[in-house]
Amino acid sequence: MKKRGVLLLAMVLGLTLTACGDPKETTDLSSGSAGGTEGTVQEESRATEKPQETEKPQEADLPTSQEYVSSDGSYKVILLEGLTQTDLPLQAGSTMMGLDGGTSRTGFSAVSVGSSKATVPGNSSDVDSLETYADYIANLILDGSGVTVSWEDTEAPSVEGAVKCLAREGVAKSGITSGKAYGYYVESEDSYYSVVFVGNNSDVEDAMKVLSLELLDGTAGSAGTIGFINSMTAVLDSVNGANLRETYKMMVDMGMDDSQLSVVVSQAQQSLADSWDITDADELMETADWLMNEGHNKDALDFLNELGLSSDIDRDTFAATLESENLDEETIICLMAAYDAWSAYGDGAIAAWDLSRVGTIMGFGYAAGYCSYEEAMDKMLEAAQKAQGLYDSWEDFNKSYLYGYSYWAEESLDDPATSAGERAALVKSMEAQTGGSFSLDWNMELTKEW
């Protein structure tokens, strides 16, 4: 088939192209849509069937196998022995590992992805079932690899703790070369998992004989300071489909060439320029400091003070005051969000909105070449430590973040038709994930671990 790690490289490049947001839509660097789908969707009757247990060969006939555990400890894959594992922490709540055959199984390449349903990598807005997840992941992994596959459904091994399992196989073609491909997809109550591999017929058939996937107890709570920082940007990372800082770092660490890296660099530079008027290192650091020390939080508090806000004004009285000013609906929504945030968190009103975006711009700044990875992480550590001083929990941090989004967007969090309503629904979903982005200990000691 193709050169070493082709599926892994293709998927990383695909993620990168969706991680840079549409600056014309929002100034928080949210992404547009991506992609299409590839593969054959199951017939409706098959979609309702329970997972089938496939008959395994006798143990003596099995190729030698090995366990490969995801970096977050949430699942493990049993596959052929001796594959080279590359762990790629895409974002909070989502991990990927590449499993490469190297010289022992030339051309064999596998990618395994595990994520909560709220943090499927890439722009996955159309994923609403295991079938659409399988279409989406197969397209994301294969797009740009030079490999095409005509998928057909096949019996899927069951997994303890799974709601549903799905398997597909097909002929893989790359130029005049052909081989075999297999995809295995698992849905639990709150997560999706996948393993997709291609290679020559004998290697893929050997891999199919030993393949199994097991759900584990690992949680984001063991992720440490970097995990905490990633959780601060987890909502926007979920919208964008990946954490650009970590995606770009993995590209560098994998030794991608300048032509591949330059695509990401130019996108990051363009996004920062269009959305933040940031065009160099000095402006990046100045903006980060502004977000940490003033930001929209100061604007909101100043706005409230201009209206004569005091501690003895209740919410109904404040709302009546705004109505009497004959303000437009958007301004009233904006100011009521600021009031609610101030009532809950005082001077820290919507500071979480600003502190989260420190992580976003520093990640883009690193990809743009305006700072090193260490400089980006150092600044984000400052923001994380300040957040711990202002709020008592992830719940408080997320509420302040949402109030800030509502203030900035001038949209009601209670209106599901608005981007603010969608953002609120996303936060609710992510908070409900067992072992997800917000399961970390809020009071953990944050230290420099890079």
Side-chain angles (χ1 to χ4, degrees):
M1 294 303 291
K2 295 285 286 181
K3 66 181 182 179
R4 183 178 185 273
V6 62
L7 296 187
L8 186 62
L9 290 169
M11 187 168 184
V12 170
L13 286 172
L15 287 168
T16 301
L17 295 178
T18 63
C20 295
D22 181 358
K24 295 180 180 180
E25 181 178 348
T26 67
T27 59
D28 68 346
L29 307 177
S30 296
S31 71
S33 60
T37 58
E38 180 175 334
T40 304
V41 180
Q42 288 186 310
E43 297 177 359
E44 183 64 29
S45 60
R46 191 169 192 74
T48 60
E49 293 176 0
K50 294 182 179 179
Q52 299 289 324
E53 182 77 45
T54 58
E55 183 176 344
K56 291 284 187 178
Q58 295 298 314
E59 186 173 345
D61 299 328
L62 293 176
T64 308
S65 61
Q66 179 178 336
E67 294 182 353
Y68 301 91
V69 181
S70 64
S71 60
D72 64 351
S74 63
Y75 72 102
K76 70 178 179 182
V77 173
I78 296 177
L79 210 55
L80 298 169
E81 184 182 48
L83 303 179
T84 300
Q85 179 175 346
T86 303
D87 292 310
L88 307 173
L90 300 172
Q91 64 193 75
S94 177
T95 61
M96 176 172 67
M97 56 179 165
L99 300 169
D100 178 47
T103 56
S104 62
R105 294 183 182 270
T106 304
F108 182 86
S109 184
V111 171
S112 180
V113 181
S115 72
S116 70
K117 292 179 178 179
T119 57
V120 175
N123 193 292
S124 54
S125 58
D126 293 332
V127 172
D128 58 4
S129 67
L130 187 60
E131 287 75 21
T132 56
Y133 172 78
D135 291 338
Y136 171 77
I137 287 293
N139 181 72
L140 184 63
I141 290 175
L142 293 172
D143 187 32
S145 69
V147 178
T148 59
V149 179
S150 298
W151 295 104
E152 292 185 2
D153 297 328
T154 188
E155 288 186 331
S158 61
V159 172
E160 184 177 356
V163 174
K164 191 173 186 180
C165 300
L166 171 68
R168 293 172 178 173
E169 60 180 298
V171 175
K173 295 183 178 181
S174 176
I176 61 173
T177 306
S178 65
K180 195 167 185 177
Y182 184 82
Y184 182 53
Y185 309 93
V186 175
E187 178 182 4
S188 69
E189 288 291 344
D190 58 12
S191 300
Y192 288 122
Y193 306 88
S194 58
V195 184
V196 178
F197 47 85
V198 300
N200 62 51
N201 289 352
S202 61
D203 285 344
V204 171
E205 287 168 2
D206 281 349
M208 290 169 62
K209 291 176 183 177
V210 300
L211 172 68
S212 67
L213 189 149
E214 181 179 342
L215 308 185
L216 303 176
D217 296 331
T219 68
S222 61
T225 299
I226 292 179
F228 188 100
I229 288 171
N230 288 345
S231 290
M232 286 181 63
T233 62
V235 177
L236 182 57
D237 289 343
S238 180
V239 174
N240 283 340
N243 180 309
L244 181 57
R245 183 193 74 251
E246 293 301 325
T247 302
Y248 185 72
K249 185 177 186 297
M250 78 174 70
M251 294 177 69
V252 173
D253 292 345
M254 290 171 64
M256 290 192 177
D257 59 42
D258 290 341
S259 63
Q260 293 169 320
L261 295 174
S262 65
V263 174
V264 186
V265 172
S266 62
Q267 288 182 331
Q269 290 177 345
Q270 192 66 47
S271 292
L272 288 173
D274 291 348
S275 299
W276 293 87
D277 292 327
I278 295 173
T279 59
D280 58 33
D282 289 340
E283 291 174 346
L284 174 68
M285 291 301 180
E286 288 172 4
T287 303
D289 288 338
W290 174 76
L291 285 170
M292 285 203 296
N293 299 315
E294 297 182 11
H296 284 99
N297 187 56
K298 183 177 183 301
D299 291 341
L301 293 175
D302 287 347
F303 210 163
L304 293 176
N305 288 330
E306 289 175 8
L307 292 169
L309 182 66
S310 62
S311 58
D312 59 348
I313 297 181
D314 60 30
R315 193 177 194 278
D316 290 341
T317 302
F318 183 73
T321 299
L322 298 184
E323 292 288 347
S324 69
E325 296 288 336
N326 295 319
L327 301 173
D328 58 72
E329 182 179 0
E330 289 77 13
T331 301
I332 291 176
I333 290 173
C334 166
L335 289 172
M336 287 307 299
Y339 174 88
D340 289 337
W342 169 81
S343 295
Y345 306 115
D347 289 343
I350 61 170
W353 165 244
D354 296 320
L355 295 173
S356 173
R357 294 186 299 157
V358 171
T360 297
I361 68 165
M362 293 308 300
F364 274 73
Y366 163 59
Y370 298 154
C371 68
S372 66
Y373 180 81
E374 182 177 14
E375 288 171 328
M377 294 301 295
D378 287 349
K379 185 62 69 173
M380 293 160 69
L381 176 57
E382 290 182 45
Q385 290 170 333
K386 182 166 185 176
Q388 281 186 325
L390 290 172
Y391 309 104
D392 294 330
S393 65
W394 283 111
E395 181 180 8
D396 289 337
F397 179 85
N398 289 334
K399 284 182 178 179
S400 171
Y401 171 91
L402 289 173
Y403 285 138
Y405 189 94
S406 177
Y407 173 84
W408 170 80
E410 298 183 333
E411 295 176 351
S412 172
L413 297 170
D414 297 324
D415 185 351
T418 66
S419 62
E422 292 174 354
R423 193 68 60 102
L426 176 59
V427 168
K428 183 178 180 180
S429 174
M430 294 176 71
E431 287 181 334
Q433 299 292 334
T434 302
S437 305
F438 305 120
S439 64
L440 288 79
D441 178 10
W442 175 261
N443 296 309
M444 73 165 68
E445 182 182 2
L446 301 177
T447 59
K448 182 171 179 175
E449 52 186 46
W450 46 85

